[in-house]
Amino acid sequence: MRAAEVHSGSLKSTERPVPVPQTGQVLIKVMAAGINRPDVMQRKGLYPPPPGASDIPGLEIAGIVVALGDNTNNLAIGDKVCALVTGGGYAEYCAASASLCLPIPDNLSYVEAAGIPETFFTVWSNVFDRGHLQKGETLLVHGGSSGIGTTAIQLAKAFGAKVIVTAGSLAKRQFCLDLGANNAINYREQDFVSEINQITQAVGVDLILDMIGGDYFPRNLQCLAVGGRLVQIAVQQGSRSDIDLWAVMQKRLTITGSTLRSRDDAFKADIADKLLAYVWPLLISGRIKPIIHSTFALSDAALAHELMESNQHIGKIILKVST
């Protein structure tokens, strides 16, 4: 099969043997695969795959089940699914845990479906399970125009929360507002701490979903309301920062974070079940949808990474693997 592999910090086209599905796995003919920041980090040698995972990048795929391992009674050959995987997505075939495969709604294409698993699993796990976002609360999302951001806006609004985002351009800001965000702050031109203080009348926000880290951390604490929660899911500007413990104590803040890739299948399967129950009806009805910026051929995966690193995209970047 054709695949894209990491070679000396770059992505190179190669040929690999087709994977054999193990117990609890299915083999998927990959029609499309999502591009994500962890893929870029892996290419740079900063985020190695967990033990037992494929060294081929790619954490989310959409395609057709073509072979079954043992104990996969919930799926059949020919099923159209999207799946969260620990690696191997940048290839024509990929083995996936059957418990992490979800049916593709009839109103979505393979390209759209490939933009669902990594972002929707991540947002549900961190905003709702870990962050405990409730109806009527206010969520601040940094990077509102990203794949994670556009997903968080839609899900938070669908479940009755208010959403404020930061974005890096007028176009991105407007896109987030059109998608449903209540407020959008251009972080290049505005101080988001001052803006949050004004928007919330000095109350602060209930929950922050942050992918930036670095010097955003102490500023995030200033934005949180009493009893607020900060969920850290990436550190694009660094993993170290100063912290004012008095602020944490006085406002009774909760600071948490997570990574998804290294968690076991049982943990991820619980998220899959919740997505199927609570989010899939929204996708099927068209109330929410994955936002796709552009597509690239598998052989152009390196160009897709260049676009992601340029931060010029809005929503998801997808590889069209098969036709």
Side-chain angles (χ1 to χ4, degrees):
M1 67 176 185
R2 294 183 302 120
E5 67 179 6
V6 176
H7 182 75
S8 300
S10 300
L11 288 175
K12 302 292 185 182
S13 297
T14 188
E15 290 192 358
R16 292 284 190 93
V18 174
V20 176
Q22 304 302 305
T23 298
Q25 292 184 330
V26 297
L27 182 65
I28 296 173
K29 180 182 179 181
V30 179
M31 306 302 289
I35 302 285
N36 291 282
R37 294 273 176 193
D39 305 340
V40 175
M41 293 175 62
Q42 178 178 332
R43 194 199 80 228
K44 293 180 174 180
L46 302 174
Y47 192 42
S54 172
D55 66 306
I56 296 171
L59 303 177
E60 58 184 350
I61 58 173
I64 305 167
V65 175
V66 294
L68 305 172
D70 293 334
N71 298 332
T72 55
N73 297 330
N74 60 314
L75 293 172
I77 291 176
D79 283 351
K80 298 178 180 180
V81 299
C82 57
L84 183 71
V85 295
T86 54
Y90 294 10
E92 291 182 300
Y93 293 90
C94 183
S97 295
S99 61
L100 304 184
C101 294
L102 290 165
I104 297 177
D106 291 338
N107 58 324
L108 295 183
S109 66
Y110 287 117
V111 165
E112 291 171 316
I116 292 175
E118 173 68 12
T119 47
F120 278 71
F121 273 73
T122 297
V123 170
W124 187 272
S125 177
N126 289 286
V127 171
F128 296 97
D129 285 348
R130 184 170 293 276
H132 305 294
L133 183 67
Q134 302 296 311
K135 182 178 180 179
E137 290 191 323
T138 300
L139 168 68
L140 169 61
V141 181
H142 289 300
S145 63
S146 66
I148 292 288
T150 54
T151 299
I153 292 169
Q154 294 183 83
L155 287 181
K157 292 295 292 184
F159 289 98
K162 299 176 183 178
V163 181
I164 304 170
V165 303
T166 60
S169 70
L170 179 61
K172 289 182 177 182
R173 177 179 175 274
Q174 188 60 52
F175 188 93
C176 292
L177 291 171
D178 293 342
L179 195 59
N182 297 84
N183 302 90
I185 301 165
N186 186 335
Y187 66 83
R188 298 186 190 278
E189 299 178 356
Q190 300 168 292
D191 173 50
F192 72 79
V193 176
S194 298
E195 294 297 318
I196 292 295
N197 189 57
Q198 181 176 345
I199 292 167
T200 65
Q201 297 181 323
V203 172
V205 301
D206 302 289
L207 177 64
I208 299 175
L209 182 67
D210 184 44
M211 299 168 270
I212 310 302
D215 65 4
Y216 270 45
F217 187 84
R219 299 164 71 192
N220 281 334
L221 299 188
Q222 296 177 55
C223 293
L224 285 169
V226 173
R229 293 93 66 196
L230 167 63
V231 183
Q232 198 75 43
I233 60 170
V235 286
Q236 294 177 24
Q237 288 190 3
S239 60
R240 295 185 177 275
S241 182
D242 291 330
I243 179 172
D244 181 359
L245 292 174
W246 277 115
V248 176
M249 296 160 62
Q250 290 172 333
K251 292 202 289 186
R252 302 185 295 280
L253 304 180
T254 298
I255 301 169
T256 185
S258 73
T259 57
L260 183 61
R261 189 180 189 183
S262 61
R263 299 302 296 266
D264 62 27
D265 283 358
F267 176 84
K268 297 173 186 175
D270 179 67
I271 303 172
D273 291 341
K274 292 172 181 174
L275 290 175
L276 191 60
Y278 302 115
V279 175
W280 246 240
L282 300 173
L283 288 166
I284 291 169
S285 70
R287 185 176 174 186
I288 65 174
K289 63 178 182 179
I291 305 300
I292 308 301
H293 180 272
S294 56
T295 62
F296 290 81
L298 177 61
S299 58
D300 290 330
L303 295 178
H305 274 219
E306 286 183 17
L307 175 58
M308 173 156 281
E309 291 184 271
S310 76
N311 293 317
Q312 297 302 307
H313 62 293
I314 295 175
K316 297 289 295 187
I317 303 168
I318 305 294
L319 296 179
K320 294 181 72 173
V321 178
S322 302
T323 57

